Amino acid sequence: MDERKDHWSPADYQHSASFVPKLAGKIIQWLNLQKDDIVLDIGCGDGVLDAEFSKVLAQGAGTLHGIDSSESMIQSARELCADAPNCTFEVLDAAQLASNTSLQKGAYTKVFSNAALHWILRAEVTRRSFFAGVHAALAPGGHLAFEMGGLGNVAEMRTALLMAVSRRVGMPAALAADPWFFPDETWATAVLEEAGFRVDRAEREWRPTQADKGGVEGWVRLMGGRFLDAVPEEEREDVVREAVEVLREVCRNPAGGETISYVRLRCLATKI
């Protein structure tokens, strides 16, 4: 599996996961953005939220720098925020944040991340160094506000993909392809405190979410791309069909459409 492959398409994201930024209201409240804030957005995606943040920052001297490992998403963010001179964007793998000296200057008043850390923290070796990097990027008293998948997130989707992939390449290979890490609030509190943060709020919420226009099939093709890479190319459509066949029933909402069992982990922490 090529970790450098860009699995993201802004068009596919809008078709199958446009609800992700739309449902970020609570963590945005926790962020409590002010007009003079200096913001680092980790895993900024296509910039939909940054375009809204830029309007607040434009009222003062605030700025925003968004990073994402996907070149296509960064390009989309730049285009969306082309009229926002207070926003800049950079292709950067946030798992390498701690070694990026340009971001380790204690200049940011706030670090924000929505629906990205469960990808970024997938490799165990990066977890503590990542939060140490965030701590170094923040000014004293600065705040980190993030929302990510929490323990139990999209369990039915993950199970269907693991089973369909493992039938072809074996469970060890399927688990190696699993791109996500879904912790609970106890884990998050411990790792944040270890990195030098005071944890002000931490919660986990079950939030059943209506599938987007692409349905569960669109979700599997978009979010499950790394799983599919573990299977020979000629078998990938069979994997999709097998996973989707069961998910359409498991996720079927009698009132219409399909519902995915999202579990969100939110944290607000202060650098001390």
Side-chain angles (χ1 to χ4, degrees), residues 197-228:
F197 287 95
R198 181 188 72 236
V199 178
D200 302 307
R201 305 177 76 173
E203 68 177 25
R204 192 159 35 109
E205 175 191 359
W206 180 52
R207 191 188 67 200
T209 300
Q210 184 85 357
D212 213 331
K213 296 181 290 292
V216 292
E217 180 175 349
W219 194 102
V220 164
R221 291 184 183 277
L222 177 68
M223 302 295 189
R226 290 173 176 81
F227 276 111
L228 298 178

Side-chain angles (χ1 to χ4, degrees), residues 59-76:
Q59 299 172 26
T63 62
L64 180 146
H65 186 61
I67 63 172
D68 200 288
S69 63
S70 168
E71 292 186 13
S72 61
M73 295 297 248
I74 286 294
Q75 181 59 33
S76 180

Side-chain angles (χ1 to χ4, degrees), residues 24-90:
K26 194 166 188 179
I27 194 61
I28 291 173
Q29 288 180 353
W30 288 17
L31 178 66
N32 190 26
L33 188 66
Q34 302 298 308
K35 61 185 177 65
D36 293 322
D37 274 328
I38 311 301
V39 183
L40 176 64
D41 184 357
I42 297 177
C44 63
D46 59 6
V48 169
L49 292 178
D50 301 314
E52 295 303 311
F53 293 163
S54 72
K55 297 173 185 177
V56 176
L57 300 174
Q59 299 172 26
T63 62
L64 180 146
H65 186 61
I67 63 172
D68 200 288
S69 63
S70 168
E71 292 186 13
S72 61
M73 295 297 248
I74 286 294
Q75 181 59 33
S76 180
R78 286 172 175 157
E79 292 172 0
L80 186 62
C81 298
D83 295 328
N86 52 5
C87 292
T88 57
F89 298 95
E90 177 184 6

Side-chain angles (χ1 to χ4, degrees), residues 34-232:
Q34 302 298 308
K35 61 185 177 65
D36 293 322
D37 274 328
I38 311 301
V39 183
L40 176 64
D41 184 357
I42 297 177
C44 63
D46 59 6
V48 169
L49 292 178
D50 301 314
E52 295 303 311
F53 293 163
S54 72
K55 297 173 185 177
V56 176
L57 300 174
Q59 299 172 26
T63 62
L64 180 146
H65 186 61
I67 63 172
D68 200 288
S69 63
S70 168
E71 292 186 13
S72 61
M73 295 297 248
I74 286 294
Q75 181 59 33
S76 180
R78 286 172 175 157
E79 292 172 0
L80 186 62
C81 298
D83 295 328
N86 52 5
C87 292
T88 57
F89 298 95
E90 177 184 6
V91 178
L92 181 68
D93 182 354
Q96 307 302 319
L97 180 66
S99 60
N100 189 289
T101 55
S102 67
L103 299 179
Q104 302 292 289
K105 297 179 179 179
Y108 294 97
T109 61
K110 289 178 180 169
V111 172
F112 174 79
S113 184
N114 179 56
L117 294 194
H118 47 265
W119 304 91
I120 295 166
L121 302 178
R122 192 267 183 214
E124 185 174 359
V125 296
T126 68
R127 293 170 193 165
R128 282 169 171 76
S129 65
F130 170 81
F131 286 107
V134 173
H135 190 272
L138 277 166
H143 302 293
L144 164 64
F146 70 84
E147 179 172 313
M148 64 182 290
L151 183 64
N153 188 53
V154 297
E156 73 281 30
M157 317 300 283
R158 195 178 190 183
T159 299
L161 281 162
L162 279 169
M163 293 302 293
V165 171
S166 67
R167 283 200 337 107
R168 291 158 176 86
V169 297
M171 186 58 77
L175 290 171
D178 185 342
W180 302 310
F181 173 64
F182 299 136
D184 66 3
E185 56 273 44
T186 300
W187 180 90
T189 297
V191 76
L192 285 165
E193 290 178 345
E194 181 181 318
F197 287 95
R198 181 188 72 236
V199 178
D200 302 307
R201 305 177 76 173
E203 68 177 25
R204 192 159 35 109
E205 175 191 359
W206 180 52
R207 191 188 67 200
T209 300
Q210 184 85 357
D212 213 331
K213 296 181 290 292
V216 292
E217 180 175 349
W219 194 102
V220 164
R221 291 184 183 277
L222 177 68
M223 302 295 189
R226 290 173 176 81
F227 276 111
L228 298 178
D229 284 350
V231 176

Side-chain angles (χ1 to χ4, degrees), residues 243-257:
V244 169
E245 184 178 10
V246 67
L247 288 170
R248 281 184 174 146
E249 180 58 30
V250 171
C251 300
R252 182 172 58 85
N253 186 334

